């Protein structure tokens, strides 16, 4: 079977079972609390400063490029060097990023969260949602796909290399940079929080699945 699809249906189902389902429900609960307390709006007003946009806004581009170009480049390197376990890791990252995008986008299609207004920004629209199906597309809204993908990749690495702090720490720093970066502009803070939780769940499921497979390499 093509490595990208290793236990794909089972891994999707696993994301919605037991503790993983509880964690995803927690993402909903924390979002509700952040929204009704208007923390989303107060955070958005606070971070509309040049220094934040200078250093954090590039995360929007980086978070899009790394899962596609980054993993593609590493795949070519692994194939050229014939490094079997490294190639195995790349496939795990590819599936984690794919599921991070798929699950977060599925939520977006149903929640229809209205994104921050970077042009105006004078009216509090942080409580505006368009629940239904495809009421606001899948490119904006709740949760943040940038964040979900970044955290899914980070936690897939953590699950694959549980004792390697030199991998875990940079992976987490990257994930938080992406999440915080998108939270100052194209997403609300609660969307970063939810994306981080959902992405972490996905990453651990995929990483553990591929780690079990690696025992046969």
């Amino acid at each position: 079977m093509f490595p990208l699809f290793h236990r794909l249906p089972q891994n999707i189902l696993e994301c919605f079972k037991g503790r993983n389902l509880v964690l995803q429900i927690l993402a909903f609960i924390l979002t509700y609390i952040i929204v009704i307390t208007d923390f989303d709006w107060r955070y958005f007003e606070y971070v509309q400063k040049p220094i934040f946009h200078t250093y954090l806004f590039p995360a929007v581009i980086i978070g899009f490029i790394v899962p596609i170009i980054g993993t593609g480049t590493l795949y070519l390197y692994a194939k050229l060097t014939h490094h079997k376990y490294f190639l195995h890791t790349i496939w795990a990252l590819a599936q984690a990023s794919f599921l991070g995008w798929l699950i977060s986008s599925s939520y977006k299609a149903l929640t229809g969260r209205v994104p921050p207004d970077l042009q105006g920004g004078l009216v509090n629209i942080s409580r505006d949602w368009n629940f239904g199906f495809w009421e606001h597309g899948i490119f904006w809204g709740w949760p943040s796909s940038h964040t979900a993908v970044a955290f899914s990749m980070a936690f897939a690495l953590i699950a694959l290399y549980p004792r390697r702090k030199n991998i875990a720490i940079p992976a987490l720093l990257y994930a938080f940079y992406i999440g915080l970066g998108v939270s100052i502009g194209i997403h609300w803070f609660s969307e970063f929080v939810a994306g981080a939780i959902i992405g972490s769940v996905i990453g651990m499921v995929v990483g553990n699945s591929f780690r079990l497979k690696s025992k046969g390499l």
Side-chain angles (χ1 to χ4, degrees), residues 31 33-45 113 124 126-127 129 183 187-192:
T31 296
I33 293 172
I34 294 171
V35 170
I36 64 169
T37 58
D38 281 331
F39 183 83
D40 264 340
W41 179 249
R42 291 196 294 271
Y43 175 86
F44 173 75
E45 287 187 308
R113 182 82 184 273
N124 184 356
S126 63
R127 296 192 182 194
W129 302 70
S183 76
H187 283 290
W188 300 105
F189 181 80
S190 59
E191 293 165 5
F192 150 60

Side-chain angles (χ1 to χ4, degrees), residues 45-97:
E45 287 187 308
Y46 178 77
V47 296
Q48 298 314 301
K49 299 175 181 178
I51 188 171
F52 290 118
H53 284 264
T54 298
Y55 293 104
L56 292 178
F57 200 77
V60 175
I61 306 300
I62 296 171
F64 175 78
I65 291 176
V66 168
I68 300 174
I69 298 179
T71 53
T73 302
L74 291 175
Y75 170 78
L76 291 176
Y77 173 78
K79 290 291 285 186
L80 291 172
T81 57
H82 305 288
H83 197 307
K84 187 178 291 187
Y85 195 83
F86 187 56
L87 184 60
H88 181 71
T89 300
I90 301 306
W91 285 121
L93 290 174
Q95 187 184 113
S97 62

Side-chain angles (χ1 to χ4, degrees), residues 128-179:
D128 293 353
W129 302 70
N130 294 306
F131 294 105
F133 180 70
W134 214 265
E135 296 292 332
H136 211 79
I138 60 172
F139 298 104
W140 309 94
W142 187 97
S144 162
S145 291
H146 275 74
T147 307
V149 169
F151 273 83
S152 66
M153 294 176 71
F155 274 83
L157 285 173
I158 290 171
L160 280 168
Y161 302 93
R163 296 180 179 86
R164 297 285 297 274
K165 290 184 179 180
N166 61 325
I167 291 177
I169 293 174
L172 287 174
L173 288 175
Y174 163 78
F176 272 100
Y177 176 73
I178 299 301

